[in-house]
Amino acid sequence: MRVERAVLREVPLELREPFDTSHGRVHVRRVLLLTLHGEALEGWGECVALSDPSYSAETTDTAWHVLTDFVLPRVVGRELGGVGTAVASGAAGADVRARGPTDALLEPVRWIRGHPMALATVEMAAWDLAARGAAVSLAQALGGERAHVPVGISVGLRSSIDELAEAVARCLEEGYARVKLKIAPGRDVEVLALIRDRFEDAMLSADANCAYTLADASRLKELDALDLQMLEQPFGHDDLVDHARLQEQLRTPICLDESIASERDAAAALELASCRVVNLKPGRVGGFVASVRIHDMLLAAKLSLWCGGMLETGIGRAHNLALASLPGFTLPGDISASRRYWQRDIVTPEHVVADGLMRVPTGPGIGVDVDAERVESLTVRVATFG
Ligand code: OSB
Ligand code: MG
């Protein structure tokens, strides 16, 4: 199938409540949505870059720049591969899955350094389009096996313990299998200890978003008493060595998020024993091909894996659900229901949680319908190619 046309839109969407982490607040999510058209079908991609360079170096605006000035003009008009053999599975399937339908499509942009989130927007939209072309679900195309995936929720920093405890109680009532709490220096051990006291049996984890250094090791070791499922990304976004040093001294498993920006980083983290768990976000590593390769590597090495989130709309959540249906994603992902962030999602049906599980869509491609009219009416800028 030829990719005949690409439409990139910026759609600012207000979160139901601001989301606070150790690196700042998000209230309006400036989402970039990409539509790839081919053979009267369309594939959707969502760029996960935040509006500021706090989580990673990319932003909504750098992604817009790279996509419109360098990527989309070179990709439109080119051939998209199929996903047929991947669905058939087996050794040949594994090979095709590892290269993906986008190998030839993205060949003219391989020289671009960095910008994985911008590139993943195209890569993932292309997988959606290719899966629709083959009339299979994205999950099937990627080699997914599960019809439902376990899901958790990420709770931002709160101004008081009571407010936080209330939020945790609500999440557990809503059925989330795991609750992740954001932490920051001065808002860590004592807060988590109080929450642990109130929710003795809950599966809890903590995410520091790079807010500590090795000098905080003794403080972080106090977390071992709290029976956390994991401690996510305590140290720098590009660190693997200090994480390995901390993991040696810590019983709580370390989970890396920001530090795993590529397949190479995942291999280095394995070699150095920097973590026991990985939070894989397809946008952060450049898309599904890299994600599936990392998945296969970590599964073989018996590391635990789960799919993270980036405050996505229902489009990005559908991509994540498809990925999380692969067998190596054994821990609950940060794949919360549409209503967690949105008054009204831009897809139907909305994503819902029941008993700690979310259904993986089975329709063609991402398996949800995009409310194109609403997207159009919310669009603040648009760029069309082809
Ligand atoms: O560190 O996992 C993170 C949101 C934005 C940027 C980074 C992170 C997060 C989350 C929320 O924790 C995940 C989600 O619910 O989408
Ligand atoms: Mg994180």
mmCIF file of all heavy atoms in Angstrom, residues 227-244:
data_model
loop_
_atom_site.group_PDB
_atom_site.id
_atom_site.type_symbol
_atom_site.label_atom_id
_atom_site.label_comp_id
_atom_site.label_asym_id
_atom_site.label_seq_id
_atom_site.Cartn_x
_atom_site.Cartn_y
_atom_site.Cartn_z
ATOM 1 N N ASP A 227 7.437 -2.263 51.186
ATOM 2 C CA ASP A 227 6.884 -3.281 50.304
ATOM 3 C C ASP A 227 6.328 -2.662 49.000
ATOM 4 O O ASP A 227 5.184 -2.898 48.624
ATOM 5 C CB ASP A 227 5.784 -4.063 51.039
ATOM 6 C CG ASP A 227 5.354 -5.297 50.273
ATOM 7 O OD1 ASP A 227 6.179 -5.820 49.499
ATOM 8 O OD2 ASP A 227 4.187 -5.713 50.405
ATOM 9 N N LEU A 228 7.161 -1.858 48.364
ATOM 10 C CA LEU A 228 6.752 -1.277 47.082
ATOM 11 C C LEU A 228 7.038 -2.283 45.967
ATOM 12 O O LEU A 228 8.024 -3.016 46.022
ATOM 13 C CB LEU A 228 7.532 0.012 46.790
ATOM 14 C CG LEU A 228 7.363 1.148 47.795
ATOM 15 C CD1 LEU A 228 8.244 2.332 47.399
ATOM 16 C CD2 LEU A 228 5.894 1.581 47.874
ATOM 17 N N GLN A 229 6.174 -2.283 44.959
ATOM 18 C CA GLN A 229 6.399 -3.192 43.840
ATOM 19 C C GLN A 229 7.679 -2.810 43.104
ATOM 20 O O GLN A 229 8.405 -3.665 42.606
ATOM 21 C CB GLN A 229 5.201 -3.136 42.883
ATOM 22 C CG GLN A 229 5.257 -4.221 41.830
ATOM 23 C CD GLN A 229 4.291 -3.962 40.700
ATOM 24 O OE1 GLN A 229 3.971 -2.816 40.369
ATOM 25 N NE2 GLN A 229 3.809 -5.025 40.107
ATOM 26 N N MET A 230 7.977 -1.509 43.049
ATOM 27 C CA MET A 230 9.204 -1.037 42.404
ATOM 28 C C MET A 230 9.408 0.445 42.701
ATOM 29 O O MET A 230 8.474 1.146 43.117
ATOM 30 C CB MET A 230 9.145 -1.253 40.897
ATOM 31 C CG MET A 230 8.101 -0.398 40.204
ATOM 32 S SD MET A 230 7.859 -0.867 38.494
ATOM 33 C CE MET A 230 6.368 -1.830 38.633
ATOM 34 N N LEU A 231 10.636 0.883 42.455
ATOM 35 C CA LEU A 231 10.961 2.309 42.509
ATOM 36 C C LEU A 231 11.379 2.698 41.087
ATOM 37 O O LEU A 231 12.363 2.184 40.555
ATOM 38 C CB LEU A 231 12.125 2.556 43.486
ATOM 39 C CG LEU A 231 12.749 3.954 43.423
ATOM 40 C CD1 LEU A 231 11.740 5.040 43.790
ATOM 41 C CD2 LEU A 231 13.965 4.039 44.355
ATOM 42 N N GLU A 232 10.608 3.609 40.490
ATOM 43 C CA GLU A 232 10.836 3.961 39.087
ATOM 44 C C GLU A 232 11.755 5.168 38.971
ATOM 45 O O GLU A 232 11.547 6.190 39.633
ATOM 46 C CB GLU A 232 9.465 4.247 38.443
ATOM 47 C CG GLU A 232 9.496 4.499 36.945
ATOM 48 C CD GLU A 232 8.075 4.606 36.357
ATOM 49 O OE1 GLU A 232 7.129 4.022 36.952
ATOM 50 O OE2 GLU A 232 7.903 5.278 35.334
ATOM 51 N N GLN A 233 12.777 5.022 38.160
ATOM 52 C CA GLN A 233 13.666 6.098 37.708
ATOM 53 C C GLN A 233 14.059 7.104 38.798
ATOM 54 O O GLN A 233 13.774 8.298 38.694
ATOM 55 C CB GLN A 233 12.995 6.865 36.558
ATOM 56 C CG GLN A 233 13.938 7.758 35.773
ATOM 57 C CD GLN A 233 14.932 7.023 34.889
ATOM 58 O OE1 GLN A 233 14.601 6.027 34.270
ATOM 59 N NE2 GLN A 233 16.170 7.515 34.833
ATOM 60 N N PRO A 234 14.781 6.628 39.847
ATOM 61 C CA PRO A 234 15.237 7.593 40.849
ATOM 62 C C PRO A 234 16.275 8.574 40.318
ATOM 63 O O PRO A 234 16.257 9.748 40.693
ATOM 64 C CB PRO A 234 15.832 6.706 41.956
ATOM 65 C CG PRO A 234 16.100 5.379 41.310
ATOM 66 C CD PRO A 234 15.082 5.236 40.225
ATOM 67 N N PHE A 235 17.176 8.110 39.433
ATOM 68 C CA PHE A 235 18.313 8.944 39.018
ATOM 69 C C PHE A 235 18.154 9.484 37.591
ATOM 70 O O PHE A 235 17.134 9.287 36.954
ATOM 71 C CB PHE A 235 19.613 8.130 39.135
ATOM 72 C CG PHE A 235 19.916 7.656 40.542
ATOM 73 C CD1 PHE A 235 20.753 6.562 40.751
ATOM 74 C CD2 PHE A 235 19.360 8.281 41.667
ATOM 75 C CE1 PHE A 235 21.043 6.111 42.033
ATOM 76 C CE2 PHE A 235 19.642 7.825 42.955
ATOM 77 C CZ PHE A 235 20.485 6.737 43.129
ATOM 78 N N GLY A 236 19.222 10.122 37.141
ATOM 79 C CA GLY A 236 19.205 10.891 35.891
ATOM 80 C C GLY A 236 18.651 10.162 34.669
ATOM 81 O O GLY A 236 18.732 8.951 34.550
ATOM 82 N N HIS A 237 18.125 10.950 33.736
ATOM 83 C CA HIS A 237 17.469 10.399 32.547
ATOM 84 C C HIS A 237 18.430 9.631 31.651
ATOM 85 O O HIS A 237 18.008 8.817 30.840
ATOM 86 C CB HIS A 237 16.822 11.531 31.741
ATOM 87 C CG HIS A 237 17.820 12.412 31.065
ATOM 88 N ND1 HIS A 237 18.191 12.239 29.752
ATOM 89 C CD2 HIS A 237 18.568 13.428 31.538
ATOM 90 C CE1 HIS A 237 19.113 13.137 29.445
ATOM 91 N NE2 HIS A 237 19.350 13.867 30.506
ATOM 92 N N ASP A 238 19.739 9.923 31.788
ATOM 93 C CA ASP A 238 20.696 9.219 30.939
ATOM 94 C C ASP A 238 21.642 8.330 31.755
ATOM 95 O O ASP A 238 22.671 7.906 31.273
ATOM 96 C CB ASP A 238 21.504 10.213 30.088
ATOM 97 C CG ASP A 238 22.161 11.288 30.937
ATOM 98 O OD1 ASP A 238 21.980 11.276 32.174
ATOM 99 O OD2 ASP A 238 22.852 12.148 30.356
ATOM 100 N N ASP A 239 21.261 8.062 33.002
ATOM 101 C CA ASP A 239 22.136 7.251 33.861
ATOM 102 C C ASP A 239 21.795 5.769 33.821
ATOM 103 O O ASP A 239 20.623 5.393 33.866
ATOM 104 C CB ASP A 239 22.033 7.701 35.320
ATOM 105 C CG ASP A 239 22.775 6.732 36.226
ATOM 106 O OD1 ASP A 239 24.012 6.812 36.259
ATOM 107 O OD2 ASP A 239 22.127 5.842 36.831
ATOM 108 N N LEU A 240 22.810 4.930 33.762
ATOM 109 C CA LEU A 240 22.631 3.487 33.966
ATOM 110 C C LEU A 240 23.544 2.978 35.084
ATOM 111 O O LEU A 240 23.218 2.039 35.786
ATOM 112 C CB LEU A 240 22.929 2.718 32.667
ATOM 113 C CG LEU A 240 21.928 2.923 31.527
ATOM 114 C CD1 LEU A 240 22.417 2.238 30.249
ATOM 115 C CD2 LEU A 240 20.539 2.402 31.892
ATOM 116 N N VAL A 241 24.697 3.630 35.248
ATOM 117 C CA VAL A 241 25.704 3.144 36.203
ATOM 118 C C VAL A 241 25.272 3.373 37.654
ATOM 119 O O VAL A 241 25.320 2.465 38.476
ATOM 120 C CB VAL A 241 27.070 3.817 35.913
ATOM 121 C CG1 VAL A 241 28.089 3.472 36.996
ATOM 122 C CG2 VAL A 241 27.584 3.387 34.545
ATOM 123 N N ASP A 242 24.825 4.571 37.985
ATOM 124 C CA ASP A 242 24.408 4.832 39.372
ATOM 125 C C ASP A 242 23.171 4.014 39.737
ATOM 126 O O ASP A 242 23.032 3.569 40.878
ATOM 127 C CB ASP A 242 24.151 6.329 39.590
ATOM 128 C CG ASP A 242 25.451 7.120 39.668
ATOM 129 O OD1 ASP A 242 26.537 6.494 39.595
ATOM 130 O OD2 ASP A 242 25.383 8.362 39.793
ATOM 131 N N HIS A 243 22.286 3.819 38.784
ATOM 132 C CA HIS A 243 21.128 2.954 39.053
ATOM 133 C C HIS A 243 21.602 1.543 39.424
ATOM 134 O O HIS A 243 21.054 0.915 40.333
ATOM 135 C CB HIS A 243 20.182 2.897 37.844
ATOM 136 C CG HIS A 243 19.267 4.085 37.728
ATOM 137 N ND1 HIS A 243 19.444 5.079 36.797
ATOM 138 C CD2 HIS A 243 18.163 4.431 38.432
ATOM 139 C CE1 HIS A 243 18.476 5.988 36.935
ATOM 140 N NE2 HIS A 243 17.689 5.618 37.925
ATOM 141 N N ALA A 244 22.623 1.055 38.718
ATOM 142 C CA ALA A 244 23.158 -0.288 39.035
ATOM 143 C C ALA A 244 23.729 -0.292 40.448
ATOM 144 O O ALA A 244 23.533 -1.246 41.214
ATOM 145 C CB ALA A 244 24.223 -0.676 38.017
#
